[in-house]
Amino acid sequence: MHTPKISVIIPVYNVGIYLPERIESILNQTLKDIEIIIVLDCPTDGSDKVAESYSRKDERIKLIYNPANLHIGLSRNQGLKAATGEYISLVDHDDYCTPDMYEKMYSKAQQNQADIVVSNFYGITSTGKTQRFGFPQNYSDEVFQKESFAFLISGPCNHNPACSITSNFSVWTQLFKRQFLEKHHIVFQDNREITFEDRLFLIETYFFAQKVNVIHEAFTYHRYHQSNSGSNYSYRSIELITNYLMYVHDFLNRQHILKKEYIHFADNILLSLYSGFRNEVKHKSLFKALRTLTPIRKNPAFQQALRYLYKKENLKYLKKYPVTKLSFLLLITLFGKKTD
């Protein structure tokens, strides 16, 4: 059986006018030895008809029909089950990429037998403004992997500098060796129950990877708009963020590195919950938003990590937080459950 060089997985749900551009940017790649797995997540806007039309024209396209709306995490898992390529590319349905993306990324992966290859990208705002995002060029691949892992377990960054390790927050700029993912049983979580599914996937891949390579070229054009999953209420709800933080806690604990990475995990708790609380205030009354903090005050794992920030030797870390986040830290630890 022939093994394609790359399996491209595209979950599709009500993508609208952007789907043809997305598909054509992959069909027109200079690297032709690819398979394209489109996972139709019960779209209601005719996106399935568009995908079916393309599949009749190119035998490299495989269609998967979800029996129910699974959302992006589990849809990607459906694609991973069907993938036969040497490497995996996980892309969004409304982005597009340059024609040489897969040829250059696959060549880099082959050259160094990398588990992961990551590239720079362009962000496109709702007004059409384009900005290039990427990574410092003075990092070795080893330092890049180490710094990426530290960032990933440290929590979200809402204002990413154009050239920073904080640009490494999503899977759609990366290639993953399929055997590597299967060896470590790395899949996506159900983002109806847990949030930041890309970050969780990257935490595990960057922890287990033997070799990560960076290409300082930008290939993907990523659209930022209100229909992105990160813009809706549930994606940043306190409930789903709590589940995400406990997943990170348990993963670090299983790998016996929780103590070593405690300051990063505490940072993640504060930043993620602060983001979630602002989301709750935006969509609910202040009173209802404050009620969502009660389980946080009763969570021993959270309280122990947050109180770790108060230790004398860690006070230098508190200086980086603005007054708003310091006030929130006091709010969620005040009357919180005391821990040893």
Side-chain angles (χ1 to χ4, degrees):
M1 182 180 294
H2 174 67
T3 300
K5 289 181 171 61
I6 297 175
S7 296
V8 185
I9 299 171
I10 318 172
V12 170
Y13 176 77
N14 290 3
V15 63
I17 62 173
Y18 300 118
L19 186 56
E21 185 177 30
R22 166 79 279 181
I23 295 176
E24 289 178 13
S25 73
I26 298 173
L27 291 176
N28 294 327
Q29 289 291 304
T30 55
L31 179 66
K32 301 300 182 183
D33 190 9
I34 61 177
E35 67 176 355
I36 304 161
I37 303 172
I38 300 178
V39 184
L40 295 166
D41 195 26
C42 304
T44 59
D45 69 341
S47 293
D48 52 340
K49 304 303 179 185
V50 174
E52 289 165 356
S53 175
Y54 277 100
S55 71
R56 289 192 290 268
K57 300 174 186 177
D58 198 309
E59 62 182 9
R60 293 177 297 172
I61 297 178
K62 301 178 181 178
L63 301 182
I64 295 176
Y65 295 83
N66 287 346
N69 184 236
L70 300 180
H71 294 221
I72 193 167
L74 297 188
S75 291
R76 283 173 173 163
N77 288 347
Q78 294 294 95
L80 287 172
K81 291 176 186 177
T84 62
E86 186 181 350
Y87 280 84
I88 301 291
S89 172
L90 300 146
V91 301
D92 282 0
H93 61 188
D94 51 356
D95 297 343
Y96 64 97
C97 55
T98 61
D100 58 351
M101 173 177 173
Y102 290 129
E103 183 175 5
K104 289 186 174 180
M105 293 189 76
Y106 180 78
S107 176
K108 184 75 168 181
Q110 282 291 291
Q111 178 184 342
N112 299 300
Q113 289 301 297
D115 292 322
I116 304 172
V117 176
V118 57
S119 68
N120 300 343
F121 69 96
Y122 297 101
I124 307 175
T125 67
S126 57
T127 61
K129 181 180 178 181
T130 300
Q131 182 177 1
R132 191 178 192 273
F133 293 88
F135 310 108
Q137 296 195 30
N138 60 334
Y139 282 7
S140 67
D141 288 330
E142 292 76 17
V143 170
F144 175 82
Q145 181 177 354
K146 179 181 178 181
E147 292 296 315
S148 290
F149 183 74
F151 160 66
L152 289 165
I153 63 174
S154 293
C157 179
N158 293 327
H159 303 287
N160 293 351
C163 184
S164 167
I165 205 72
T166 61
S167 293
N168 196 9
F169 60 84
S170 186
V171 297
W172 34 258
T173 60
Q174 327 221 9
L175 275 188
F176 303 93
K177 184 180 287 186
R178 180 168 61 87
Q179 289 183 345
F180 158 69
L181 296 179
E182 292 174 351
K183 175 183 177 181
H184 296 285
H185 309 288
I186 301 173
V187 295
F188 287 89
Q189 302 305 307
D190 185 350
N191 53 293
R192 295 169 299 182
E193 299 178 359
I194 189 169
T195 194
F196 304 150
E197 71 285 340
D198 276 23
R199 184 177 289 268
L200 291 175
F201 190 87
L202 291 177
I203 286 173
E204 296 194 30
T205 54
Y206 274 72
F207 176 79
F208 288 116
Q210 294 297 308
K211 186 177 287 292
V212 176
N213 283 170
V214 184
I215 295 181
H216 295 287
E217 293 184 65
F219 302 119
T220 296
Y221 288 80
H222 177 67
R223 288 186 171 91
Y224 293 98
H225 48 73
Q226 289 303 310
S227 60
N228 289 142
S229 60
S231 301
N232 62 47
Y233 163 73
S234 63
Y235 196 78
R236 292 185 180 273
S237 70
I238 288 289
E239 179 183 2
L240 267 61
I241 286 177
T242 296
N243 294 340
Y244 150 75
L245 289 169
M246 288 307 301
Y247 188 99
V248 175
H249 174 275
D250 293 346
F251 176 79
L252 297 177
N253 205 28
R254 287 196 307 273
Q255 306 308 325
H256 309 291
I257 58 172
L258 179 59
K259 184 175 181 180
K260 174 186 174 184
E261 304 292 352
Y262 216 39
I263 194 68
H264 293 129
F265 178 60
D267 187 54
N268 195 348
I269 295 175
L270 177 57
L271 295 180
S272 295
L273 289 178
Y274 177 77
S275 173
F277 181 68
R278 290 186 61 184
N279 179 65
E280 297 287 344
V281 172
K282 179 181 177 180
H283 291 91
K284 300 178 180 179
S285 68
L286 178 60
F287 176 73
K288 289 183 178 179
L290 287 171
R291 289 180 61 182
T292 66
L293 300 181
T294 300
I296 307 303
R297 295 193 182 98
K298 295 181 179 180
N299 187 306
F302 291 173
Q303 290 300 314
Q304 184 173 351
L306 290 169
R307 291 175 188 278
Y308 181 71
L309 292 172
Y310 290 131
K311 288 183 176 292
K312 185 177 180 180
E313 62 268 27
N314 295 326
L315 292 180
K316 59 184 178 181
Y317 291 101
L318 291 181
K319 294 180 181 179
K320 73 175 183 176
Y321 299 122
V323 173
T324 50
K325 291 185 173 67
L326 290 174
S327 300
F328 182 72
L329 174 63
L330 181 62
L331 178 66
I332 57 179
T333 54
L334 191 66
F335 307 119
K337 182 178 177 64
K338 295 292 191 297
T339 57
D340 294 331

